[in-house]
Amino acid sequence: MKRVYNFAAGPAVLPLPILEKAGSEIADFNHTGQSVMELTHRGSDFKGIVEKAEKLLRELLKIPDDYAVLFLQGGGSLQFSMIPINLAGVEQGEAKKSALYVDSGVWAAKALDEAKKYVNVKIAASSKDKNYTYIPALPAGIAAPEDVYLHICLNNTIVGTRWNTLPDTGAGTPLVADASSCILSEPLDITRFGALYAGAQKNIGPAGCTVVIIRKELTEHAPSWTPLMLRYDIHTKDKSLFNTPPCWCIYIISLVLEWIRDLGGLPAIEKINKEKAALLYNAIDNSKIFCSPVVKEARSLMNVPFVVRPELAADKDKIEKKFLAEAATAGLVNLSGHRLVGGLRASIYNAMPLEGVGALADFIGKFAV
Amino acid sequence: MKRVYNFAAGPAVLPLPILEKAGSEIADFNHTGQSVMELTHRGSDFKGIVEKAEKLLRELLKIPDDYAVLFLQGGGSLQFSMIPINLAGVEQGEAKKSALYVDSGVWAAKALDEAKKYVNVKIAASSKDKNYTYIPALPAGIAAPEDVYLHICLNNTIVGTRWNTLPDTGAGTPLVADASSCILSEPLDITRFGALYAGAQKNIGPAGCTVVIIRKELTEHAPSWTPLMLRYDIHTKDKSLFNTPPCWCIYIISLVLEWIRDLGGLPAIEKINKEKAALLYNAIDNSKIFCSPVVKEARSLMNVPFVVRPELAADKDKIEKKFLAEAATAGLVNLSGHRLVGGLRASIYNAMPLEGVGALADFIGKFAV
């Protein structure tokens, strides 16, 4: 069996022991004589899996009881619609309400574009002026009582920035966050958020499931025209089993959560992630060929873009191509930057071992043009 | 390794060779050194999988080029919203258009209930008067020019009935069908339909993916308020890769489609399915304890409900309980009827081998109270 170090931004690397366990029981889960993919979702065997996943997620993130934990479909992109539809609660013919969005990256911008269909979007702050290479400061008292929520992207996957200090939205305006690329990478105070969502395919499991953590009171305002599958209240009431859920994804998620718990939970994961990030940023900062486009105080722990140094810009394409080819030969794959921004990027999620980051850091150090 | 005969209605049995293949390459797909769950969806390895799945589906069902083939999320339940929203194309504030629905079962009724949010639903015909135990006849010329489409459920999973002859909707009104529980069970003339959808978890693959086959011209009417992820035109344009798709599900689907092709395609599958259904209905019809609640001419090839005979009604619960317990001991599982209708039911999808149906037929024949 061949294995590589996979630095893809998502779908991304999964822990090898989980893949091996899933493979070993793929045709006979827990002596049922059935694959997890064959288990009826109304039976006790599958209910045990989804309940285990929810329980572990609640324990790891210390999620209070007044928050629902949902395993949905449609990725972050469907949340871009569900958040404004459900939270604004505007019936057809009624006037739109306002919501605040921080424009801090490509996905943050996609979220606010989609929200414009359902709410009056107010841009609370933007870092677009410098290609999203920093997290913009929020003016004090930005949230007015009429603003339904303030939306941020907690970690910007494409540009590699993160919020280190959460914005204070005051008592009346809940904070809503896309946490797709940083959830479970370190401890997080859930009580600071009204809602939080994350596509599973980065730090939680395989593509095809979206985790939503939402204060239950915020689920109760869906307007009557909301498509049933887009109503948080229904998924909350039915505990993610309103219709057939993405069973296999939830199963792998339950294994990933167990793996995190067994490693020592989020404090232990944070320690390893900080060590990994320091190793990689150090290699980039010391490189004579590459540099980081991101201001130091906003650097993501999970997604690390790097670009050819300005003085070598004339050879940029050639250098990138050589780097990608030689890295792949060395078993370091998926290091291209996102197609919208170019350059290079290493995503170093929880499942990327320290050894993989070490190998990449060494490779960057030794790479010559 | 233990295996049982799993008669669940969905998620349902998958072919064992596929589970074994998926298990054997779960940590290293096609010498990539990565699991299919880890492959970036923008890379050539995953694109090869989704393209293969589409190509095989087009070949098996002889899908013409003017139809899109989409691999989406959200199950049949999300299609209950997407069909009326996209096909009616009504902007907020505009008058609703009308659509015809046939009320032939539990899921057909759910589809029409959801559609009421977006279109004026006209019930073209109903079999609710006799607990959906037959397929209602459609009055000739039922579809008026103003009806946007006529919706049927091609095979009613819970009550076990099927359409043997498709309704003629005339030139102006496309036929739309929920084919979740019968797709790929026999040849089907796609050109009779404007759109066809199916949750994968019965006859196509694991839960978490929905296959949509739709005439491209019907994808072009989504109103401006449609959530992005609910727009057929976007998924058509991006070939199911608008956002991260349910990669693992599509991979298993590609293996299932390959398995069907290698068995000889849909004509061969139909022959086996008819043999399996005849064996089981024969056992039920000859039973002194059970009988079929469904009129003979509408009996499903895929979902076979059976109930305790009326003369034994006093002992119904006791008999069902004994049957389920003894069947499970014999390795025949998930034979309960749907929670909404009770009784017993065997779903005998493509992946259920003839031997499994034979074992159940024998068991029914020998079962004594």
Side-chain angles (χ1 to χ4, degrees):
Chain A
M1 187 185 69
K2 174 184 166 190
R3 289 285 290 172
V4 292
Y5 289 123
N6 175 10
F7 296 94
V13 57
L14 287 164
L16 183 58
I18 286 176
L19 296 174
E20 286 171 338
K21 178 173 167 60
S24 73
E25 62 190 21
I26 198 167
D28 181 13
F29 169 73
N30 202 19
H31 312 297
T32 57
Q34 299 160 68
S35 174
V36 168
M37 290 181 270
E38 301 175 307
L39 292 178
T40 173
H41 63 297
R42 302 284 172 205
S44 57
D45 293 301
F46 181 71
K47 279 193 183 160
I49 291 172
V50 69
E51 284 167 8
K52 178 175 136 188
E54 177 175 340
K55 184 168 174 284
L56 285 165
L57 197 62
R58 285 189 181 277
E59 285 170 9
L60 288 170
L61 280 166
K62 299 186 173 43
I63 302 172
D65 288 345
D66 59 331
Y67 285 74
V69 171
L70 308 176
F71 300 98
L72 306 182
Q73 297 182 61
S77 295
L78 188 57
Q79 295 308 308
F80 296 168
S81 315
M82 285 177 70
I83 288 287
I85 292 173
N86 281 268
L87 270 60
V90 175
E91 293 292 344
Q92 287 202 10
E94 286 182 2
K96 276 185 183 172
K97 295 178 183 169
S98 65
L100 293 160
Y101 277 77
V102 179
D103 177 25
S104 65
V106 180
W107 290 102
K110 281 182 199 264
L112 76 84
D113 271 343
E114 175 67 2
K116 286 176 184 168
K117 291 179 189 163
Y118 313 107
V119 288
N120 291 320
V121 167
K122 299 199 277 189
I123 310 273
S126 174
S127 54
K128 199 174 178 180
D129 60 337
K130 292 187 181 166
N131 292 322
Y132 299 128
T133 51
Y134 67 105
I135 294 289
L138 280 181
I142 180 81
E146 69 269 21
D147 297 324
V148 178
Y149 58 87
L150 183 144
H151 181 278
I152 62 170
C153 184
L154 202 53
N155 182 83
N156 296 284
T157 320
I158 294 179
V159 292
T161 62
R162 71 189 292 243
W163 289 76
N164 283 303
T165 310
L166 292 177
D168 183 4
T169 56
T173 304
L175 180 63
V176 174
D178 178 351
S180 293
S181 50
C182 62
I183 191 166
L184 297 170
S185 64
E186 60 186 339
L188 190 66
D189 181 359
I190 295 294
T191 65
R192 295 290 305 276
F193 300 89
L196 196 86
Y197 59 87
Q201 69 273 14
K202 297 168 192 295
N203 239 347
I204 319 181
C209 186
T210 316
V211 171
V212 176
I213 302 164
I214 182 167
R215 263 211 326 266
K216 287 178 185 166
E217 62 179 33
L218 294 177
T219 67
E220 293 163 4
H221 311 290
S224 59
W225 56 269
T226 314
L228 266 185
M229 283 293 289
L230 272 59
R231 293 186 67 121
Y232 292 125
D233 56 347
I234 285 183
H235 293 296
T236 301
K237 181 173 152 280
D238 286 346
K239 294 180 179 298
S240 305
L241 294 172
F242 166 64
N243 72 338
T244 318
C247 302
W248 176 263
C249 296
I250 296 173
Y251 158 67
I252 299 290
I253 288 171
S254 75
L255 298 181
V256 169
L257 296 172
E258 207 165 44
W259 175 81
I260 295 175
R261 182 199 61 195
D262 294 348
L263 281 178
L266 299 185
I269 282 281
E270 178 185 36
K271 189 165 168 288
I272 306 168
N273 283 333
K274 286 192 166 163
E275 193 178 345
K276 281 154 50 183
L279 193 61
L280 185 52
Y281 283 113
N282 193 44
I284 294 166
D285 289 341
N286 287 324
S287 167
K288 294 194 167 54
I289 299 165
F290 302 110
C291 62
S292 165
V294 176
V295 299
K296 281 199 176 175
E297 60 275 18
R299 287 178 174 178
S300 167
L301 282 182
M302 296 284 103
N303 309 100
V304 184
F306 49 107
V307 294
V308 172
R309 298 184 69 88
E311 58 270 28
L312 300 171
D315 291 326
K316 180 180 163 294
D317 290 351
K318 205 180 76 185
I319 294 172
E320 285 178 0
K321 206 170 159 187
K322 183 170 189 281
F323 180 86
L324 289 171
E326 291 180 6
T329 304
L332 309 168
V333 306
N334 290 323
L335 285 160
S336 290
H338 190 276
R339 61 202 161 106
L340 294 179
V341 297
L344 302 157
R345 176 181 53 173
S347 294
I348 50 173
Y349 298 119
N350 289 348
M352 172 56 64
L354 182 59
E355 297 72 34
V357 179
L360 175 60
D362 283 353
F363 185 82
I364 289 172
K366 288 174 189 158
F367 179 69
V369 290
Chain B
M1 186 184 71
K2 174 185 166 189
R3 289 287 289 174
V4 293
Y5 288 123
N6 175 10
F7 295 94
V13 57
L14 287 164
L16 182 58
I18 286 177
L19 297 174
E20 287 171 338
K21 177 174 168 59
S24 72
E25 62 189 22
I26 197 167
D28 181 13
F29 168 74
N30 202 20
H31 312 296
T32 57
Q34 301 161 66
S35 174
V36 168
M37 290 181 271
E38 301 174 306
L39 292 178
T40 172
H41 63 297
R42 303 283 172 207
S44 57
D45 293 303
F46 181 72
K47 279 194 184 160
I49 292 172
V50 70
E51 284 167 6
K52 177 174 135 186
E54 178 176 339
K55 184 168 173 284
L56 285 166
L57 197 62
R58 284 190 182 275
E59 285 171 8
L60 288 170
L61 280 166
K62 300 186 172 48
I63 302 172
D65 287 346
D66 59 331
Y67 284 73
V69 171
L70 308 174
F71 299 98
L72 307 181
Q73 297 182 60
S77 295
L78 189 56
Q79 294 309 309
F80 296 168
S81 315
M82 284 176 71
I83 288 288
I85 292 173
N86 282 269
L87 271 59
V90 175
E91 293 293 343
Q92 287 201 14
E94 287 182 1
K96 276 185 185 171
K97 294 179 183 169
S98 65
L100 293 160
Y101 277 77
V102 178
D103 177 25
S104 65
V106 178
W107 290 102
K110 282 182 199 263
L112 76 86
D113 272 344
E114 175 67 3
K116 285 176 184 168
K117 291 177 187 163
Y118 313 107
V119 288
N120 291 320
V121 167
K122 300 199 278 190
I123 310 274
S126 173
S127 54
K128 199 174 177 180
D129 59 337
K130 290 187 181 166
N131 292 321
Y132 299 125
T133 50
Y134 67 105
I135 294 290
L138 280 181
I142 181 78
E146 69 268 22
D147 296 324
V148 178
Y149 58 87
L150 183 144
H151 181 279
I152 62 169
C153 183
L154 202 53
N155 182 82
N156 295 284
T157 321
I158 294 179
V159 293
T161 62
R162 70 188 295 240
W163 290 77
N164 282 303
T165 310
L166 292 178
D168 183 4
T169 56
T173 304
L175 180 63
V176 174
D178 178 352
S180 293
S181 51
C182 62
I183 192 166
L184 296 172
S185 65
E186 59 185 340
L188 190 65
D189 181 0
I190 295 294
T191 66
R192 295 290 305 274
F193 300 89
L196 196 87
Y197 59 88
Q201 70 273 13
K202 298 171 192 294
N203 239 347
I204 320 182
C209 187
T210 316
V211 170
V212 177
I213 302 164
I214 183 168
R215 263 212 324 266
K216 287 178 185 166
E217 61 178 33
L218 294 177
T219 67
E220 293 164 4
H221 312 289
S224 59
W225 56 270
T226 313
L228 267 186
M229 284 292 291
L230 272 59
R231 293 185 67 122
Y232 292 126
D233 56 347
I234 286 182
H235 293 296
T236 300
K237 181 174 152 281
D238 286 347
K239 296 182 178 295
S240 305
L241 293 172
F242 167 64
N243 73 338
T244 319
C247 302
W248 175 262
C249 295
I250 295 173
Y251 158 67
I252 299 289
I253 289 172
S254 75
L255 298 181
V256 170
L257 295 173
E258 207 164 44
W259 175 81
I260 294 175
R261 182 200 60 193
D262 293 347
L263 281 178
L266 299 185
I269 282 281
E270 178 185 35
K271 189 166 169 286
I272 306 169
N273 283 333
K274 286 193 166 163
E275 192 179 346
K276 280 153 55 183
L279 192 62
L280 185 52
Y281 283 114
N282 193 45
I284 293 166
D285 289 340
N286 286 325
S287 167
K288 294 196 166 53
I289 298 166
F290 301 110
C291 61
S292 164
V294 175
V295 299
K296 281 199 178 176
E297 60 276 18
R299 287 177 173 179
S300 166
L301 282 183
M302 294 284 103
N303 310 101
V304 183
F306 49 106
V307 295
V308 172
R309 297 184 71 88
E311 59 269 29
L312 300 171
D315 290 327
K316 178 180 163 294
D317 290 351
K318 206 178 77 187
I319 294 171
E320 285 178 1
K321 205 170 159 187
K322 183 171 188 282
F323 180 85
L324 290 170
E326 292 180 6
T329 304
L332 309 167
V333 308
N334 291 323
L335 285 160
S336 290
H338 189 276
R339 59 203 163 107
L340 294 179
V341 297
L344 303 157
R345 175 181 53 173
S347 294
I348 50 173
Y349 297 119
N350 289 349
M352 171 58 64
L354 182 62
E355 297 69 36
V357 178
L360 176 59
D362 282 353
F363 185 82
I364 289 173
K366 288 175 187 156
F367 179 69
V369 290

